[in-house]
């Protein structure tokens, strides 16, 4: 039988083809691995950022252990009042029937002072504080006593600046201040069921401007929990009128009523009035301001006429 001619071995041809295709396959595999690594890296970075944001959110939300918001910045409250049992702090002071708290609590209203009034009186604060300001994060201006933060100290602005004061403030500024004080006084009297004539303005009553600057003296450390009746024996009813907006003008700076396991917070809103009886039933603090500037007025009232003060006058 004649020998049969055989063609080239297919295995050899196939092997050569495999060798020729290998660089291309290797390149594609490398590109796939690189793409996968880049995707995993991006995923890991995203997860890290998300975790960091969650931790920041938790740390901010956990500040002061706030469990409930009594008044959110975005809502308009006609009047919200929560009654709480009175402490014994008032027993150590002379009692005034019909005025000394027997009904204790805390309230918030957004309809006593308009936003326009709040904006105008904030400009009064800005004009006065432009004359000085603390080196730390908290500055005060007291139109009654004349106390003004300057550097690490206080000066009496009426003595320190003399006649220059008349180029800074106007009679209209002081009249607005008096009008606002009266409206707040009436709101407190109505909420607690007492006669407004039995309430007397008491000291200290002042504007505050707080920013995130590091504290320089003990006067700048506004964030410690305290009781007004213990700190200032004359206080029976405390109020705050906010002149700027939480999360718009500043971050942090919420007002917190301290309660074990269930702190309550008020988010400032321009024109919002927060008020409360001044004893230990309303232990409170202010969160540190993290950015921006927070403006407010603290207005306090006493039932003891001996501790009353007059409204500030321009003359």
């Amino acid at each position: 039988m004649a020998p049969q001619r055989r063609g080239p071995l297919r295995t050899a041809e196939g092997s050569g083809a495999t060798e020729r295709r290998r660089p291309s396959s290797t390149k594609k595999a490398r590109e796939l691995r690189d793409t996968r690594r880049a995707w995993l890296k991006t995923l890991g970075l995203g997860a890290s950022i998300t975790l960091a944001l969650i931790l920041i959110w938790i740390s901010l939300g956990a500040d002061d252990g706030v469990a409930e918001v009594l008044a959110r910045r975005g809502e308009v409250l006609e009047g919200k009042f929560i009654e709480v049992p009175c402490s014994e702090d008032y027993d150590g002071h002379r009692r005034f029937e019909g005025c000394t708290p027997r009904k204790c609590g805390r309230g918030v209203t957004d309809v006593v002072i308009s936003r326009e009034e709040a904006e105008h009186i904030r400009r009064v604060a800005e004009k006065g504080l432009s004359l000085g300001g603390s080196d730390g994060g908290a500055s005060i201006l007291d139109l009654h006593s004349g106390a003004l933060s300057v550097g690490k100290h206080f000066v009496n602005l009426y003595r320190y600046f003399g006649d220059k004061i008349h180029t800074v403030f106007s009679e209209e500024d002081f009249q607005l201040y008096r009008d606002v004080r009266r409206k707040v006084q009436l709101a407190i009297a109505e909420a607690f069921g007492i006669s407004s004539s039995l309430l007397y303005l008491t000291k200290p009553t002042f504007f505050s401007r707080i920013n995130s600057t590091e504290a320089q003296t003990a006067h700048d450390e506004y964030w410690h929990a305290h009781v007004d009746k213990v700190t200032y024996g004359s206080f029976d009813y405390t109020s705050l009128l906010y002149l700027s907006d939480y999360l718009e003008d500043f971050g942090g700076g919420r007002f917190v009523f301290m309660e074990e396991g269930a702190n309550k917070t008020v988010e400032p809103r321009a024109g919002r009035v927060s008020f409360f009886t001044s004893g230990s039933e309303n232990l409170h603090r202010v969160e540190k301001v993290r950015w921006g500037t927070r403006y407010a007025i603290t207005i306090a009232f006493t039932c003891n006429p001996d501790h009353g003060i007059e409204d500030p006058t321009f003359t």
Side-chain angles (χ1 to χ4, degrees), residues 125-136:
E126 289 172 336
K127 287 191 292 185
L129 288 165
S130 69
L131 300 174
S134 170
D135 286 343

Side-chain angles (χ1 to χ4, degrees), residues 202-216:
T202 193
K203 62 181 180 181
T205 286
F206 56 91
F207 290 102
S208 60
R209 182 186 69 193
I210 305 175
N211 59 37
S212 60
T213 304
E214 184 177 352
Q216 300 296 314

Side-chain angles (χ1 to χ4, degrees), residues 3 13 16 24 26 35 41-42 52 80 108 125 128 134 138 142 173 182 193 200 207 230 232 239 250 275 281 287:
E13 180 182 350
S24 177
T26 302
T35 300
K41 185 177 181 181
T42 301
K80 185 173 186 178
V108 182
S134 170
D142 186 337
D173 293 335
R182 291 190 189 102
Y200 300 90
F207 290 102
V230 174
Y232 311 105
S239 69
F250 62 92
F275 57 89
E281 68 276 2
E287 293 176 334

Side-chain angles (χ1 to χ4, degrees), residues 224-278:
H224 300 297
H226 63 280
V227 175
D228 288 346
K229 188 68 178 173
V230 174
T231 306
Y232 311 105
S234 64
F235 281 31
D236 289 307
Y237 300 91
T238 307
S239 69
L240 291 106
L241 167 59
Y242 298 108
L243 306 178
S244 49
D245 292 303
Y246 172 64
L247 293 184
E248 286 192 8
D249 299 310
F250 62 92
R254 296 177 297 178
F255 185 95
V256 182
F257 291 105
M258 308 293 290
E259 295 182 5
E260 186 175 354
N263 291 344
K264 310 296 192 299
T265 184
V266 175
E267 297 177 351
R269 167 189 172 95
R272 171 166 287 170
V273 178
S274 174
F275 57 89
F276 49 92
T277 46
S278 304

